Amino acid sequence: MKKTGRLTIPSERDYLAETKKLMEIWGADAIRDSDGTKLDEALKQLEAKIYTTYFVARNHNDFVEKHMDEVQQIYLLSERGLSDGAGKVTINLLEGFFAEQILPNYDDDPKKYWEVRDRTSGEVIDTDQWKVNQETNDVYLTDVKPFHEYTVSFLAYMIWDPTQMYNHITNDWGDIPHDIPFDVRKPHSQKYMMDYLVQWLEDNPDTDVVRFTTFFYHFTLFFNQLGKEKFVDWFGYGSTVSVATLEAFEAEYGYALTPEDFVDEGYYNSSFRVPSQSYLDYIEFIQKFVCKEAGKLVAQVHKSGKEAMMFLGDNWIGTEPYGDHFHEIGMDAVVGSVGNGTTLRLISEIPHVKYTEGRFLPYFFPDVFYEGNDPTVEAKENWLTARRAILRKPVDRIGYGGYLSLANQFPKFVDYVGKVADEFRELYDNIDQSKPYTGLTVGILNAWGKLRSWQTHMVAHALWYRQIYSYNGVLEALSGQKVEVVFLNFDDLKDGVPQDIDVLINAGDEATAFSGGAHWQDVKLIEIITQWVHNGGGFIGVGDPSAYQQNGRYFQLASILGVEKERGFTLSTDKYFNKETDDHFITANSGDIQFGEGKKNIYALSEATQILRIEEDSVQLATHDFGQGRGVYFSGLPYTPANSALFLRALFYAAGKEKELYQWYSENPSVEVHAYPEVGKYAVVNNHDQPEEALVYLNNDQKEIVHLAPGEIIWRDYHE
Amino acid sequence: MKKTGRLTIPSERDYLAETKKLMEIWGADAIRDSDGTKLDEALKQLEAKIYTTYFVARNHNDFVEKHMDEVQQIYLLSERGLSDGAGKVTINLLEGFFAEQILPNYDDDPKKYWEVRDRTSGEVIDTDQWKVNQETNDVYLTDVKPFHEYTVSFLAYMIWDPTQMYNHITNDWGDIPHDIPFDVRKPHSQKYMMDYLVQWLEDNPDTDVVRFTTFFYHFTLFFNQLGKEKFVDWFGYGSTVSVATLEAFEAEYGYALTPEDFVDEGYYNSSFRVPSQSYLDYIEFIQKFVCKEAGKLVAQVHKSGKEAMMFLGDNWIGTEPYGDHFHEIGMDAVVGSVGNGTTLRLISEIPHVKYTEGRFLPYFFPDVFYEGNDPTVEAKENWLTARRAILRKPVDRIGYGGYLSLANQFPKFVDYVGKVADEFRELYDNIDQSKPYTGLTVGILNAWGKLRSWQTHMVAHALWYRQIYSYNGVLEALSGQKVEVVFLNFDDLKDGVPQDIDVLINAGDEATAFSGGAHWQDVKLIEIITQWVHNGGGFIGVGDPSAYQQNGRYFQLASILGVEKERGFTLSTDKYFNKETDDHFITANSGDIQFGEGKKNIYALSEATQILRIEEDSVQLATHDFGQGRGVYFSGLPYTPANSALFLRALFYAAGKEKELYQWYSENPSVEVHAYPEVGKYAVVNNHDQPEEALVYLNNDQKEIVHLAPGEIIWRDYHE
């Protein structure tokens, strides 16, 4: 009998018969509404779970328009203004901002809550030296130092929800009202959100799953004077602030935050910045509030007999699924968008929920579903990319979004989704909650650690940026490999490297949170890693690992890695070591190795460094024995199947477990093997949309040649 | 009548007739000996000035072997040693050093004059925690922190002169004794050097010019355990130290130096390091000593009726021809090797001498002068490269080195040298000490300023390094252009940018002395440059200009330049400005623009930045109006004729003097024009070894088309 379930599909008004047909073809067991689609009563009566999108803190203008002092706020940094020879400068607060989104907050005393800074010297300007014109939003500075640059850090109301603003502008929604987000920390808003939910739960008896999109605070997103995106930080806590917030923070933490804690010289605490203690305190403070308040809503949902699901995005700020407070929400499920293996793991690894759901691509939208285009191309790529991560740690459900009626016009696509759903259900049943075989444990070391598991080097969710793709390959490779992955911050190492770690990875550009920047001032940290590697640990550095200039080194772990960066200071030192080693475990049978943006000016410290690749006088890939352990250096690691295969070899080499590599191992980079000892099954999986042949190593030194159709997954039983 | 003079040639024993013939063909008026060649008595009687090489502080082993405590010394940093789990580590001092050159100094108490450091923490280790075995040169550390790295900074005798060592090893001189350098600060050495010179002057009546090679201290150069170069710093003061030096320094400056002041974490105060105040004090201290003592020798030379000339190299340390003390030597002449326009200007601009002499390439050595090779190829390239600089500021003489008998076997070369000599003499006579027309004044701003005029980004004199060629093009372009060039350090700007400057240039990699590193912490500096540019000045940044992370900027002058470096912190900020401007004064008619190593991650701050070149999302060339002034950014500027022409346009654009460019200007990058208003002459010069046609702009809006033969220089008279 055909298996069904574990699949959520969108539907829309007046589409009952077709929905029933597709549910049957695909084996779907849940129906959701979408942005721009609502389910009608007939649909809600189908034999399926009904998901209904729910907005907590926007989409209620009737309420908020009566309480405009409870609108969400943000600290913004004005453009820089240069003072003239007489020490005068005028700064217009809204220059470069979108007046339809941003409204300076004059209700809370600017002289108390704003800050004018000399950005040339970094000093705060005395409040006597500036005044603000509320009509024009001009701030006048007088008697300041000539030819310095000044900024105003000001509190502003966010009078338009960023996601609705984006959709509104993009889709030309004309005079549809602008959703005004409100701050549930404020009394009316807090009461309103609960009252409304109670009523809503009563009014929506057919809803099985309340799909929160999400809770209270949107990630930081604001537009410029042309109505185009100016700043987007998927991790940004910018929109969580208000005077009430500041006061509550001070009461709890014993010190006051300043505007600078938010605007951060204009960097707005980007996750690439090494986070300050005050910022870490602040986001913890917000998490505690969000998780507590969200917990109340979820309790109400449960009381009504429904499930609570959260969308990982939009207003997710403060939930931090990998944080210490997420469990307090009592969430039943998380759903998130799956762009690749990394984002799949980001969702599937979330703890403290009953199930996770991955929303797959493409959306059923006209940008992909148009005549002459084949939407299965994107669907296949998305599925094959994510599937290798699913095989390590499955989401519990998959799903799609958009217009079902659109997808239904593409029979080949309808057919493909059916195959994906079947394949997913088979996979899920085969794995049966068991842990896959794991050859070693890898610790990703950066300033964020566990809190931002599977979220390194991200800017706007999963977009491509030139500065990140050479690092993204690390997590993307790991997401589908036979290794355990844990995320560690520098503090996690203060009593030593955790017992179970085989290989530590530090990957990132100099001075960022991901390489660690000033954390490498910590002598104890260097000592602990040095000792650990010397005693047999493996350390892999990518890009500018452990970069911090002090004590005659830029890479603080240069002695482990065997490579260092030339910053000009050692040009006088002769560099003899530039020969590639032909024959090495890591590069054996390697395909085309890509370093992405790579790095310049990396040199080997001595002949003990084995250089595996050097390009234009700069080492790109090297290994170095250090005591009983090993260091490995990559200048960059964009994701490709060949790079991923190479990285797996590097991991086992760094750990000194070369032999163990050949257990559940495929020599073909496009083919991977996953074993599930608890259930006595293994899968051989072709990640490539072409036929592949692979020499596959099983357990107990057995080998076999496996032939796979394009994208095929083969399941077999085995006994130890 | 054929002109003669201004030319020095080498000769050798038993080569009288040929020497006379070549002197006549070339119009030479001076004969020199060389390394490995001596002049015989007959040669010394020719109608020519006789130059004789003179070594002050080496080549006198008979003396020094009786005073081995006066041998020159150096502070060296041992290799790093990792302590074991018990806090023990043994470091062998000579590991990685050449035992034939280096001898640890146990005469001065190691516990007093050495330093053992924890290089992981930077701390000095108590002297109780280590001891040294003088037999084995092992230093034993006990009770130190486990898994830290340690080094020993130790005083060592330099028992082999580096230049002789190089020649000895390279040419396999077998059992020829090793020249032991001695320190003329010590009493016996000081007496000896003077006594010997007095006697020598008496013994060498035919010598007209005593060619000092050079004075007391060799630039830092030491070899490794394989007898190969380990460290070479043409600017290095390493070999000037001793306990006597340290004590004299403390007496004069009121504070004691430590070994760390010399070994500098292993960077040995490379000129790429932003110099510390103690290092600046120390080199000034050495300069005072060297110039005073050298002055005594020169006075003695003068007393004997001879001239004193110094070779700019080898033992030149402490002379610093652009320093405050050089004039005290009373030197008659400086001779130096000419590799290009920059090194030509380095020599020709030296103040306080009666004349300068450039030694041109190739040396008459078998590596170039062998059957089948045409030495005129290198000679032409050398001459054409240097000539454009000579036209700005001539050396007073030219010359060659090596084996005259070898050169004489290449008639085409003999002919070419004759042409060069004639051309040089004509040029010198035409210019007649007058100042060339200059369109503007450029200030090169770095941490060294005037002291290291024409010496930026040099490692081992004029060798190619990947990390410097993208900056070397700046000085090389300027060396032959119609601009005045001055060198400024940051202190020179403390009361404002000097009056005469039209354009400031800051060129270098981040954190180096050439971009300035921590000097950009100085708010006043930023203010002064900001005001100056705003009032009309021009600022050109190359590479990482004004790079220092603070106050929301990496390029501290980003507001002037209109560009900033993306270090990850502003990835969340949208970057819309990436369109190239097609039509711009700087790039009008530009040839192939090369950025060399260039820079990644440079972005335009606003639409006000005019991007002239962007490659792989990174701005390579841009301009930005700032008040009445302008900023210009280059990611790199290796020397090519096209780049040089482009840079000249950028200079005039930055200065707001676009119109003035078209006075004494050629539109062909291979052709340059130099005018000499005081004598009413101008030269049109073809720097290319091919025929060229050029549209040439004279004064008063006149233009002419000029046709030039390969390498031709045309002289014409004009009237204002």
Side-chain angles (χ1 to χ4, degrees), chain A residues 148-149 229 527 559 576 597, chain B residues 148-149 229 527 559 576:
Chain A
H148 283 218
E149 288 190 310
E229 189 181 279
E527 178 188 315
S559 296
Y576 292 105
E597 296 296 298
Chain B
H148 283 217
E149 289 190 310
E229 189 182 280
E527 178 188 315
S559 296
Y576 292 106

Side-chain angles (χ1 to χ4, degrees), chain A residues 8-24:
Chain A
T8 306
I9 62 170
S11 189
E12 57 200 271
R13 277 181 215 287
D14 304 325
Y15 210 62
L16 183 63
E18 295 89 340
T19 303
K20 282 173 81 168
K21 188 198 74 177
L22 287 168
M23 279 185 70
E24 214 170 286

Side-chain angles (χ1 to χ4, degrees), chain A residues 279-296:
Chain A
Y279 188 64
L280 291 172
D281 285 349
Y282 181 72
I283 69 174
E284 188 201 35
F285 168 75
I286 294 295
Q287 286 168 56
K288 285 192 272 192
F289 174 78
V290 165
C291 294
K292 186 172 135 227
E293 294 301 323
K296 293 181 193 165

